[in-house]
Amino acid sequence: MNAVLELVVRLLVAAVFGALIGYERELRAKGAGIRTHVLVAIGSSLFMLISQFGFPDAAKFDAARIAAGVVGGLGFLGGGIIMKTKSHVSGLTTAAGIWVTGAIGLACGSGMYEVAVACEVVVLICLELLNYYTVRLGEKEFTVVLSSSSQRALTEVVTSFKKKVKTFSLSKQDNKYKAEMLLHFPKRKTTVSILEQLNSYPDVELESFE
């Protein structure tokens, strides 16, 4: 194969692998989608090609230095995707996906197609197939604010949730009482069913649910 064509093929293979991971992320409505992952994969691949073939006159050149720079740079990019709110942290999986997409791009740029394919398969299995098995494991938490003119009604709500209540605070403004709770539920319990339960209490109004 022509030398230039081989380099172009490496870039294209990296783009395809990045697009596959980005497509999975877009299916789940994540912030970084196809374009982001394709750019990360192509950029990483090109950096690797430059490190290998961009300095023909250099007697001694460590190609691993550019690869290490890509790894560090993608760490900063991934850090910008991670968002923390009161109730949960989001973006961790997408950030990790961008990081490993960069690694796949580096592998393609090095011509390590077999390793890149194996990594791509494992990543897609982790993102897609394992999602169905892990989504129901563990717990999820919600911050809930309820209000009522009756303190007793709010107390009964808190009591009904029992051990699901991790923190609880009660305040009064004018003639209305407010209760803020941090609730933990099994992931298998749907958000809709939780909302239905919160709205089922008489004389109690659900003000916020995060």
Side-chain angles (χ1 to χ4, degrees):
M1 183 183 295
N2 181 274
V4 176
L5 181 59
E6 167 67 18
L7 302 185
V8 173
V9 168
R10 294 185 185 186
L11 289 174
L12 294 178
V13 170
V16 171
F17 286 166
L20 290 174
I21 297 175
Y23 178 70
E24 191 280 337
R25 292 287 82 193
E26 284 205 359
L27 285 178
R28 303 202 175 281
K30 303 300 180 180
I34 295 177
R35 291 181 299 176
T36 301
H37 285 79
V38 167
L39 291 175
V40 168
I42 289 181
S44 301
S45 180
L46 183 57
F47 277 127
M48 181 55 74
L49 293 176
I50 292 172
S51 69
Q52 288 182 320
F53 307 106
F55 306 91
D57 299 327
K60 293 183 179 180
F61 183 76
D62 185 7
R65 293 175 61 186
I66 288 186
V70 172
V71 173
L74 290 178
F76 284 103
L77 180 61
I81 297 174
I82 300 172
M83 301 291 291
K84 184 180 185 304
T85 63
K86 276 186 177 181
S87 57
H88 68 285
V89 177
S90 63
L92 285 173
T93 303
T94 300
I98 285 181
W99 190 63
V100 76
T101 298
I104 292 172
L106 290 174
C108 292
S110 302
M112 302 171 63
Y113 298 122
E114 295 85 355
V115 176
V117 169
C119 185
E120 181 80 8
V121 171
V122 172
V123 168
L124 291 177
I125 290 175
C126 179
L127 290 176
E128 191 63 26
L129 296 183
L130 290 184
N131 179 70
Y132 294 103
Y133 296 98
T134 60
V135 71
R136 295 182 177 273
L137 299 177
E139 291 186 334
K140 54 186 175 183
E141 61 181 27
F142 299 96
T143 300
V144 177
V145 177
L146 301 172
S147 64
S148 176
S149 58
S150 170
Q151 181 178 353
R152 181 186 179 90
L154 290 177
T155 304
E156 289 178 352
V157 173
V158 176
T159 304
S160 68
F161 282 104
K162 299 179 180 178
K163 293 183 178 180
K164 294 183 178 65
V165 180
K166 298 302 179 182
T167 61
F168 165 69
S169 63
L170 183 65
S171 61
K172 184 180 180 182
Q173 293 181 351
D174 299 328
N175 295 322
K176 182 177 288 188
Y177 293 92
K178 282 191 177 183
E180 182 173 345
M181 299 182 292
L182 180 62
L183 301 176
H184 280 214
F185 291 94
K187 285 186 177 180
R188 61 179 178 273
K189 190 174 181 65
T190 64
T191 303
V192 174
S193 64
I194 297 172
L195 285 172
E196 289 177 348
Q197 183 177 353
L198 289 169
N199 287 315
S200 65
Y201 297 98
D203 303 322
V204 175
E205 180 183 352
L206 176 61
E207 291 200 355
S208 69
F209 180 82
E210 297 180 354

